[in-house]
Amino acid sequence: MSNFKSIAIDGPAGAGKSDVSDILAKKLGFIHVDTGALYRAVALYFLENNFDYKNQQIICENLNKILINMDFKDNSQLIYLNNIDVTEKIRIKEVANIASSISAFSCVRDFLLEIQKNTTKFNNIIMDGRDIATVVLPNADVKIFLTASLEERAKRRLKQLKEKNINCNYNEVLNLIKQRDNNDFHRKIAPLKPSQDSLIYDTTDKNINEVVEFLLIYIKEKINC
Ligand code: DC
């Protein structure tokens, strides 16, 4: 068993997991592992190489062409796909949709499981994703399920995309999030759901500082740090 502490943060797209985890990690001196980035890197490979990403057999048969590595610099996670830094490239919306689709395939989930688990061996970590508390780190010291209304999540995601100069409108983002919720909550393997021992925290009416402040107290109580 690892001597390092681990915090699992799950929740649907746009709930603020990544931003909240980033700030919490900095405040606690932990490393933030964004597992969505791993699914996005796999998706990017299939997008760039024009594979039919809906075809499970094709996806599973070609995973052996993919090498994914993570690195952490100044607390920021860098993602490498076949030794190329794709940290920025994986943020486009086409990649998000393909990631949501291929994440339903068990071969993809198995392929990424070890990479995720290994990060707990050498660091105190905050890991965010969809199945962290239920599958990846069932023994995490703290488990949190962050959520917010669909409309609020779409608003937040639109703001993020605009900040990155990515062109889109509210209805488009709302529909994409709806579609991703549908995939994430209803897939057969490792569907998005809170584990029984997760704190479920609805952030709809809260700003990021309120969320961080509340969770920091909760985490410190749980892990005595
Ligand atoms: O968090 P994100 O939007 O970057 O994730 C992209 C997709 O990856 C998401 O729609 C579902 C999938 N994913 C997953 O299935 N399990 C995880 N632990 C993280 C992400």
Side-chain angles (χ1 to χ4, degrees), residues 10-14 17-18 34-40 90-91 95-104 109 116 128-132 136 157 180-181 183-184 187 189-190:
D10 292 299
K17 301 180 299 292
S18 203
D34 166 6
T35 62
L38 300 172
Y39 288 87
R40 284 170 181 258
I90 56 173
R91 293 295 148 199
V95 169
N97 290 341
I98 299 174
S100 179
S101 198
I102 57 157
S103 65
R109 306 204 72 81
Q116 296 172 80
D128 87 80
R130 303 293 191 286
D131 60 340
I132 309 306
V136 183
R157 188 46 60 91
R180 289 178 61 196
D181 275 3
N183 290 348
D184 292 347
R187 65 171 172 245
I189 304 149

Side-chain angles (χ1 to χ4, degrees), residues 54-211:
K54 298 215 180 244
N55 185 323
Q56 179 164 5
Q57 195 182 343
I58 289 180
I59 297 299
C60 295
E61 281 174 5
N62 285 283
L63 282 172
N64 59 3
K65 300 193 173 117
I66 301 178
L67 174 69
I68 293 184
N69 294 108
M70 271 188 281
D71 194 9
F72 297 91
K73 278 213 177 100
D74 305 326
N75 282 335
S76 293
Q77 176 181 271
L78 302 174
I79 296 284
Y80 296 86
L81 168 62
N82 293 335
N83 297 317
I84 294 172
D85 184 347
V86 293
T87 311
E88 290 299 320
K89 225 179 190 183
I90 56 173
R91 293 295 148 199
I92 60 174
K93 54 184 190 277
E94 290 80 3
V95 169
N97 290 341
I98 299 174
S100 179
S101 198
I102 57 157
S103 65
F105 302 148
S106 59
C107 61
V108 173
R109 306 204 72 81
D110 292 345
F111 176 68
L112 294 175
L113 191 59
E114 273 318 295
I115 306 179
Q116 296 172 80
K117 280 183 183 288
N118 280 342
T119 56
T120 64
K121 289 185 185 156
F122 309 104
N123 309 287
N124 290 321
I125 57 141
I126 295 193
M127 186 178 285
D128 87 80
R130 303 293 191 286
D131 60 340
I132 309 306
T134 50
V135 177
V136 183
L137 305 177
N139 297 321
D141 299 281
V142 186
K143 298 180 179 181
I144 295 161
F145 190 90
L146 275 193
T147 187
S149 71
L150 176 65
E151 294 73 20
E152 176 63 21
R153 289 187 285 125
K155 260 196 267 167
R156 290 178 191 171
R157 188 46 60 91
L158 183 65
K159 188 165 168 269
Q160 270 175 355
L161 291 170
K162 290 212 157 141
E163 280 165 5
K164 289 184 178 151
N165 292 323
I166 298 174
N167 195 16
C168 47
N169 64 49
Y170 175 77
N171 283 330
E172 194 186 350
V173 175
L174 185 81
N175 285 329
L176 286 175
I177 291 199
K178 243 189 229 172
Q179 201 182 318
R180 289 178 61 196
D181 275 3
N182 193 40
N183 290 348
D184 292 347
F185 280 107
H186 300 298
R187 65 171 172 245
K188 286 205 182 82
I189 304 149
L192 172 61
K193 62 167 186 219
S195 76
Q196 279 183 343
D197 48 355
S198 287
L199 167 80
I200 301 176
Y201 190 51
D202 188 330
T203 68
T204 306
D205 301 317
K206 301 191 169 58
N207 67 40
I208 190 155
N209 294 333
E210 291 172 308
V211 176

